[in-house]
Amino acid sequence: MTRRSPQEALERLLTRQRELAHIGQARSLMAWDLQTMIPPEGVPARARAVATLAAYGHRMLTDPETDADVAVLEEAARDGRLSGPPARMAVVLRREIDRLRKIPEDRYRRFAELTANGEAVWRRARAEDRFADFAPLLEEIVGLLREFVERWGYRGHPYNALLDVYEPGLTVARLDFLFARLEEGLTSLLARIERSGKEIPDAFRGGPFPRAAQEAFLREVLEAIGFSFARGRLDTSAHPFTMGIHPTDVRLTTRYAEDDLAYALYSAVHEGGHAIYEQNLPEELEPYVLMSAASLGVHESQSRFAENVLARSAPFWEYFAPRLVAHFPSLAGRTPEEFFRAANRVARSFIRTEADEVTYNLHVLLRYRLEKDLIAGTLAVRELPEAWRAEMRKLLGIEPPTDREGVLQDVHWSHGMVGYFPSYTLGNVYAAELLEALLRDVPDLWERVRVGDFAPILSWLRERVHTQGNLYDPPELLERATGKAPGPEALLRYLEAKMAEVYGL
Amino acid sequence: MTRRSPQEALERLLTRQRELAHIGQARSLMAWDLQTMIPPEGVPARARAVATLAAYGHRMLTDPETDADVAVLEEAARDGRLSGPPARMAVVLRREIDRLRKIPEDRYRRFAELTANGEAVWRRARAEDRFADFAPLLEEIVGLLREFVERWGYRGHPYNALLDVYEPGLTVARLDFLFARLEEGLTSLLARIERSGKEIPDAFRGGPFPRAAQEAFLREVLEAIGFSFARGRLDTSAHPFTMGIHPTDVRLTTRYAEDDLAYALYSAVHEGGHAIYEQNLPEELEPYVLMSAASLGVHESQSRFAENVLARSAPFWEYFAPRLVAHFPSLAGRTPEEFFRAANRVARSFIRTEADEVTYNLHVLLRYRLEKDLIAGTLAVRELPEAWRAEMRKLLGIEPPTDREGVLQDVHWSHGMVGYFPSYTLGNVYAAELLEALLRDVPDLWERVRVGDFAPILSWLRERVHTQGNLYDPPELLERATGKAPGPEALLRYLEAKMAEVYGL
């Protein structure tokens, strides 16, 4: 065989990857539609079509030609003849190829079809509070994932193989260390808050708050913090999510409660953080498959930053409280301080997505423990509801009265996402690190927010995170952005400071 | 090379065609989204992705392996060893392959990208009434189509090559004959109507008719005539359309005017006719690529049947008038007769989609004449606005005051659909033929409609048309359904009878 030149190999890969990126956009649209628009009986045919597109991607990436071309780039990178995006592209493709070629196409197709059907099954089971209707699907998903993990191989705990999918390099060892420190710090903080005896009224409750007015307010908030409606949409779905089809087409969803303004708002701002990241990904890196987030943990750092650091801050409410009141005259007289404090009420509760910042990571820890045991095979799917209740008692001292408020509350497992939940805690950790760095670079940050000037935040995050796409693995990206390796202490400092303000600790 | 067995060839083709069908479903969803949901700046990236999927389809169908497999089936069919769907599949694939392989992939991709971008360009140009903003796009589209026609080759008029895409076997010679007879019959009927001097009040005008109430009424009508919302959606778009992604996922759109109930209603029922056809296509024929309409003319026969034969009939309004009044109390007192007559008012007007049944085919004739000249090269795109006005004067004696009401009114050219418009007239012709046959088989049809029983119509059309998919070319399908070859006389008889009733001719 003639020796391939790196230039030829790169050209061929760019052509193939552009095609794969476009097929990926079709798959993203199909997935968005499955969660928002599809008529109920359309789901099975759609799942088959999604599986076909997935199988096609599998075939393209496991093609020996692709492999040989990537090997040429890898060699050139080792010799120092290749650097920058093409060299990084080889790293990212190599990981993906090695993962895919260990999974036979038909198993991969089956997983794609199963998980495309999954949300509809979960939605019905949750609506009827029947875990038994969801269990067979979840059993097959967990079975396939355990098979994949064995095929991939792993060092240490088998769950490491799944963590690596969402956060390259992340391990159970690192997470155990992180969660141990967080559990200790957060449990102690929670105890101090509860000992303070302070009751904070929920200024967002009451209503009825008509949906159209809520949406108008959300659009105002999302635009202010940097979301472009010329390049995106806001819709509703059972579980809020963001789909970045392309930086010019990014769609987020929320859901509304007519008696609770916080419900739609904080979902939408969380998704808004994801969406702003997606809208600012570097288009020029698309052919290199690097027009994507650095990891899901980094992705969650953007959503948790928007939702918590920004939209649960006092300056945010100084600016937005009068605007909220303008949309809902029945709130007249409520002060920014009241909204700020209501947004930061701490209470043991069942639903992760509505949890306060202090207990939130305990919810994540619960899922992390269950997922590890599911993948290790020491916990069966049918045992999940009881295991959930037991862990909830241990971590938060409460027990959900129904599975809807327990094991059935999250959509992720129905999408086949096991190993994802730790991303939320990583997101919180990274967001706190980013805030400290941001405040060093923009010391008058909060004065700017107070008057509705969100530009300095957006431009700092764009420069340090968004436009970096997938050029670096998360630890390197974070170090470049903040000057140091990320750890749990910044998050604990941030929460201590905020709770001191809210609860006067 | 080893001789391929028909069984092996068929198996391989079925596998490949299933993949192509799934890719086609992705393309359909992308096209639906382009017209309904996509954020404005998302269009160019989407157009590139659509073009990639189109190019992929081109590559799969022009693959020599596909060609060889189809040849094996063709030979087996000639020898009588193969019949039914597999034999028909070979016929349909052969046509498509022969057409595709004469177009280089890059030209095909360019056409797909151009026409995916097209609607957004048309929509802006129409909104601002600036034909000059649309002309460059249309020039490139017409240029590419003229190139394709030359590459394909044709007998007789070059426009025949495009007609054949939408209606296999249709020719300028056949259309000239058909239109000549229709022009004569319709012009004479129009003259008699105008001489009658009768003025019919427009019972659908007034309002304001809130959009939500209109939509509720539309949903009631669509469900009654056979559309399933479990397998479909109703949305809004600049130009109403139907997208059948799969029989379990069929989406139609309409648009609303708050002062005119007929505007949304007749668009929705027209699209409903298309949509019911799509929902009843035979799923078992999907792998044979025969889960599709017999032709676009047959497709339009279903929409025009629903819109005109059914929803502009007196029995339809006997059933629906009280229901309409229930949604709009301001209409209280209006009789079924008033709605029936208003739905059949005849008047020379500018907009085809709102035209009455008598003048409608003259609008189609206008486009047919212009398209023939465009493809023959005897008319330039820049000359279109003036040519449009001149033809309008000749055919209808009126001249649109703006291009919005003239040459810019239709979306089809922006989608690259030249050769499509005659389908509407064929649809009218076929619908009248189907009505005559249906009345022979179900003599109490109108008594059933009068009490809201649409089942006999639906089941007859399902059996004779919908579930036949693409098993037969249109003339054969129609002959099997009606017992005779279709011609213009049934349509003229139908219109004479209706106008006699409405105008007392």
Side-chain angles (χ1 to χ4, degrees):
Chain A
M1 196 183 92
T2 329
R3 219 180 135 71
R4 292 156 193 255
S5 88
Q7 194 50 41
E8 281 163 17
L10 180 61
E11 291 298 332
R12 238 185 337 255
L13 282 173
L14 291 177
T15 301
R16 257 182 255 140
Q17 291 311 306
R18 195 184 58 160
E19 179 158 330
L20 211 51
H22 291 175
I23 300 266
Q25 287 162 27
R27 283 179 67 183
S28 297
L29 178 67
M30 290 159 102
W32 169 81
D33 188 77
L34 268 167
Q35 295 178 65
T36 52
M37 300 287 167
I38 200 167
E41 292 182 23
V43 173
R46 171 65 55 79
R48 291 193 295 274
V50 166
T52 292
L53 266 67
Y56 173 72
H58 184 283
R59 220 151 65 228
M60 269 188 84
L61 276 166
T62 58
D63 185 306
E65 285 291 304
T66 307
D67 197 307
D69 285 332
V70 171
V72 170
L73 295 196
E74 289 177 307
E75 200 194 320
R78 269 194 306 275
D79 298 355
R81 284 173 295 143
L82 197 75
S83 62
R88 173 69 179 172
M89 177 191 196
V91 172
V92 171
L93 281 179
R94 171 56 61 210
R95 281 183 195 154
E96 211 171 334
I97 291 170
D98 284 354
R99 212 173 261 136
L100 283 177
R101 70 174 165 199
K102 291 176 184 164
I103 312 289
E105 189 185 310
D106 67 322
R107 304 302 280 157
Y108 188 71
R109 177 192 279 274
R110 175 68 191 152
F111 187 72
E113 185 174 344
L114 202 62
T115 54
N117 266 310
E119 172 158 341
V121 176
W122 164 78
R123 225 186 286 161
R124 275 194 304 273
R126 193 185 64 152
E128 294 167 18
D129 195 29
R130 289 171 55 92
F131 180 75
D133 292 355
F134 181 56
L137 174 83
L138 188 55
E139 262 158 20
E140 192 175 349
I141 287 174
V142 169
L144 276 167
L145 286 173
R146 294 187 66 207
E147 178 191 326
F148 292 176
V149 162
E150 290 308 316
R151 288 180 184 274
W152 288 331
Y154 51 87
R155 274 195 284 196
H157 197 287
Y159 189 63
N160 286 343
L162 293 177
L163 287 174
D164 198 58
V165 172
Y166 299 103
E167 200 74 9
L170 185 64
T171 61
V172 163
R174 272 184 60 208
L175 273 178
D176 283 345
F177 166 81
L178 187 74
F179 274 118
R181 178 68 187 102
L182 287 177
E183 189 181 1
E184 177 211 332
L186 296 173
T187 307
S188 129
L189 181 56
L190 179 60
R192 277 178 289 147
I193 289 167
E194 292 181 332
R195 275 201 306 275
S196 80
K198 285 230 172 57
E199 287 291 340
I200 296 174
D202 190 344
F204 297 104
R205 287 276 179 170
F209 305 118
R211 199 199 118 140
Q214 289 196 53
E215 194 183 320
F217 178 66
L218 290 189
R219 295 176 77 93
E220 199 178 319
V221 171
L222 288 168
E223 278 201 316
I225 67 175
F227 180 76
S228 160
F229 281 93
R231 296 153 71 95
R233 292 180 53 88
L234 169 63
D235 297 288
T236 58
S237 64
H239 190 97
F241 72 100
T242 298
M243 186 61 75
I245 297 170
H246 183 270
T248 57
D249 184 1
V250 178
R251 304 170 184 207
L252 64 101
T253 70
T254 190
R255 62 216 159 144
Y256 298 86
E258 295 239 312
D259 63 344
D260 183 0
L261 284 173
Y263 192 77
L265 172 64
Y266 284 104
S267 290
V269 175
H270 176 100
E271 299 306 330
H274 284 306
I276 291 165
Y277 189 0
E278 290 283 329
Q279 287 188 332
N280 287 290
L281 287 171
E283 287 192 52
E284 69 279 12
L285 295 186
E286 178 175 23
Y288 302 96
V289 290
L290 303 173
M291 186 180 77
S292 60
S295 74
L296 278 303
V298 176
H299 226 310
E300 292 299 340
S301 79
Q302 299 307 292
S303 54
R304 299 294 288 171
F305 188 97
E307 177 189 356
N308 296 328
V309 175
L310 186 56
R312 293 190 209 270
S313 72
F316 177 91
W317 282 110
E318 284 183 53
Y319 181 70
F320 275 112
R323 281 161 180 79
L324 182 64
V325 172
H327 286 279
F328 302 98
S330 67
L331 299 178
R334 295 220 179 138
T335 64
E337 174 76 12
E338 286 175 273
F339 291 119
F340 163 64
R341 283 158 54 87
N344 289 288
R345 291 164 75 234
V346 172
R348 298 164 197 259
S349 66
F350 300 123
I351 306 295
R352 173 187 57 86
T353 56
E354 296 160 37
D356 60 81
E357 288 183 80
V358 175
T359 58
Y360 186 94
N361 294 296
L362 303 175
H363 287 265
V364 178
L365 176 52
L366 181 155
R367 287 146 181 86
Y368 169 60
R369 286 178 179 164
L370 298 182
E371 287 189 347
K372 266 197 310 185
D373 292 349
L374 278 175
I375 295 304
T378 56
L379 177 68
V381 164
R382 66 172 183 284
E383 299 166 328
L384 264 179
E386 183 45 44
W388 183 286
R389 287 189 289 269
E391 285 294 339
M392 198 73 173
R393 278 194 303 271
K394 271 194 263 178
L395 282 163
L396 282 161
I398 55 176
E399 191 176 293
T402 65
D403 286 338
R404 266 171 101 147
E405 291 156 282
V407 67
L408 279 176
Q409 72 181 261
D410 274 302
V411 71
H412 299 77
W413 292 341
S414 78
H415 292 168
M417 297 172 87
V418 175
Y420 182 88
F421 280 109
S423 305
Y424 288 110
T425 287
L426 293 176
N428 291 329
V429 164
Y430 297 163
E433 297 281 7
L434 291 170
L435 174 65
E436 290 190 350
L438 216 169
L439 279 169
R440 281 194 300 272
D441 290 349
V442 187
D444 64 344
L445 183 74
W446 293 120
E447 284 71 56
R448 309 282 283 272
V449 168
R450 189 165 287 136
V451 294
D453 177 10
F454 300 94
I457 299 181
L458 183 62
S459 74
W460 193 91
L461 290 174
R462 283 196 63 183
E463 186 193 331
R464 305 298 181 101
V465 180
H466 306 173
T467 58
Q468 302 300 312
N470 192 6
L471 283 172
Y472 309 102
D473 278 342
E476 186 176 352
L477 179 84
L478 267 290
E479 266 196 67
R480 284 171 166 262
T482 68
K484 67 190 187 59
E489 301 308 325
L491 176 59
L492 291 170
R493 278 192 295 273
Y494 157 81
L495 286 174
E496 293 275 348
K498 185 185 266 193
M499 292 307 144
E501 207 180 335
V502 176
Y503 283 93
L505 302 184
Chain B
M1 197 182 92
T2 329
R3 217 178 136 73
R4 293 158 192 252
S5 88
Q7 195 50 43
E8 282 164 18
L10 180 60
E11 291 299 331
R12 239 187 334 256
L13 281 174
L14 290 178
T15 303
R16 256 182 256 140
Q17 291 311 307
R18 195 182 60 160
E19 179 158 330
L20 212 51
H22 291 174
I23 300 263
Q25 287 163 27
R27 283 180 66 184
S28 297
L29 178 66
M30 290 160 102
W32 170 81
D33 188 78
L34 268 168
Q35 294 178 65
T36 52
M37 300 288 169
I38 199 166
E41 292 182 22
V43 173
R46 171 65 53 79
R48 290 193 295 273
V50 166
T52 292
L53 266 67
Y56 173 71
H58 184 282
R59 219 150 65 229
M60 270 186 84
L61 276 167
T62 57
D63 185 307
E65 285 291 305
T66 307
D67 196 307
D69 284 334
V70 171
V72 170
L73 295 196
E74 288 177 308
E75 200 193 318
R78 267 194 305 275
D79 297 355
R81 285 173 295 143
L82 197 75
S83 63
R88 173 69 179 171
M89 178 190 195
V91 173
V92 171
L93 280 180
R94 171 57 60 214
R95 280 184 197 154
E96 209 171 333
I97 291 171
D98 284 352
R99 212 173 262 137
L100 283 177
R101 70 174 166 199
K102 291 177 184 164
I103 312 289
E105 189 184 310
D106 67 322
R107 303 303 278 160
Y108 188 71
R109 177 190 280 276
R110 175 67 191 153
F111 187 72
E113 184 173 346
L114 202 62
T115 53
N117 265 310
E119 172 158 341
V121 176
W122 164 77
R123 223 185 290 162
R124 276 194 304 274
R126 194 184 63 152
E128 294 168 17
D129 195 28
R130 288 170 55 91
F131 180 75
D133 292 356
F134 182 55
L137 174 83
L138 188 55
E139 262 159 20
E140 192 174 350
I141 287 174
V142 169
L144 276 167
L145 286 173
R146 294 188 65 206
E147 178 190 327
F148 292 176
V149 162
E150 289 307 317
R151 289 179 183 274
W152 288 332
Y154 51 87
R155 273 195 284 196
H157 197 286
Y159 189 63
N160 286 345
L162 293 176
L163 287 175
D164 198 58
V165 173
Y166 299 102
E167 200 74 9
L170 184 64
T171 59
V172 163
R174 274 185 57 209
L175 274 178
D176 283 346
F177 166 81
L178 187 74
F179 274 118
R181 177 69 186 102
L182 288 176
E183 189 182 0
E184 177 212 331
L186 297 172
T187 307
S188 127
L189 180 56
L190 180 60
R192 277 179 290 147
I193 289 167
E194 291 182 333
R195 274 200 307 274
S196 81
K198 284 229 172 58
E199 287 291 339
I200 297 176
D202 190 344
F204 296 105
R205 287 276 179 169
F209 305 118
R211 199 198 119 139
Q214 289 196 52
E215 193 182 321
F217 178 65
L218 291 189
R219 295 175 77 94
E220 201 177 319
V221 172
L222 288 169
E223 278 200 317
I225 66 174
F227 181 76
S228 160
F229 281 94
R231 296 154 70 96
R233 293 180 53 88
L234 169 64
D235 297 289
T236 58
S237 64
H239 190 97
F241 71 100
T242 299
M243 185 61 75
I245 297 170
H246 183 270
T248 58
D249 185 0
V250 178
R251 305 171 182 205
L252 65 102
T253 70
T254 189
R255 64 217 158 140
Y256 297 87
E258 296 239 312
D259 64 344
D260 183 359
L261 285 172
Y263 192 76
L265 172 64
Y266 283 103
S267 291
V269 174
H270 176 100
E271 299 306 330
H274 284 305
I276 292 165
Y277 189 0
E278 290 283 328
Q279 287 188 332
N280 287 291
L281 287 171
E283 288 192 50
E284 69 279 12
L285 295 186
E286 178 176 23
Y288 302 96
V289 292
L290 303 173
M291 186 181 77
S292 60
S295 75
L296 278 301
V298 177
H299 227 310
E300 292 300 339
S301 79
Q302 299 306 292
S303 55
R304 299 292 289 172
F305 187 96
E307 178 189 355
N308 296 327
V309 175
L310 187 56
R312 293 191 209 271
S313 73
F316 177 92
W317 282 110
E318 283 184 51
Y319 181 71
F320 275 113
R323 282 160 179 80
L324 182 64
V325 172
H327 286 279
F328 301 99
S330 67
L331 298 178
R334 295 219 180 139
T335 64
E337 174 76 13
E338 286 175 89
F339 292 118
F340 162 66
R341 284 159 52 86
N344 290 288
R345 291 165 74 235
V346 172
R348 299 165 195 256
S349 66
F350 300 123
I351 306 296
R352 173 187 58 86
T353 57
E354 297 159 37
D356 60 81
E357 289 183 78
V358 175
T359 58
Y360 186 94
N361 295 297
L362 303 176
H363 287 266
V364 177
L365 176 53
L366 181 155
R367 285 147 181 87
Y368 168 61
R369 287 181 179 162
L370 297 182
E371 286 189 348
K372 267 197 307 187
D373 292 348
L374 278 175
I375 296 304
T378 56
L379 177 68
V381 164
R382 64 171 185 286
E383 299 165 330
L384 264 177
E386 184 43 45
W388 184 287
R389 287 189 288 270
E391 284 296 338
M392 199 71 171
R393 277 193 303 270
K394 270 193 263 177
L395 282 162
L396 281 161
I398 55 177
E399 191 176 295
T402 65
D403 287 337
R404 267 170 101 146
E405 290 156 281
V407 66
L408 280 175
Q409 73 181 260
D410 273 303
V411 71
H412 298 77
W413 292 341
S414 79
H415 292 167
M417 296 171 87
V418 175
Y420 183 87
F421 280 108
S423 305
Y424 288 110
T425 287
L426 293 176
N428 291 329
V429 164
Y430 297 163
E433 297 280 5
L434 291 169
L435 175 66
E436 290 190 350
L438 216 168
L439 279 169
R440 280 194 299 272
D441 290 349
V442 187
D444 65 342
L445 183 76
W446 293 121
E447 284 70 55
R448 311 283 281 272
V449 168
R450 190 166 286 137
V451 295
D453 178 9
F454 300 93
I457 299 181
L458 184 61
S459 73
W460 194 91
L461 290 174
R462 281 197 65 184
E463 187 194 329
R464 306 296 182 102
V465 180
H466 306 172
T467 59
Q468 301 301 312
N470 191 7
L471 283 173
Y472 309 102
D473 279 342
E476 187 177 351
L477 179 85
L478 267 290
E479 265 196 66
R480 284 169 165 263
T482 68
K484 65 188 187 63
E489 300 308 327
L491 176 60
L492 291 170
R493 277 193 295 273
Y494 158 81
L495 286 174
E496 292 275 348
K498 186 184 268 195
M499 292 307 142
E501 207 179 334
V502 176
Y503 284 91
L505 301 184

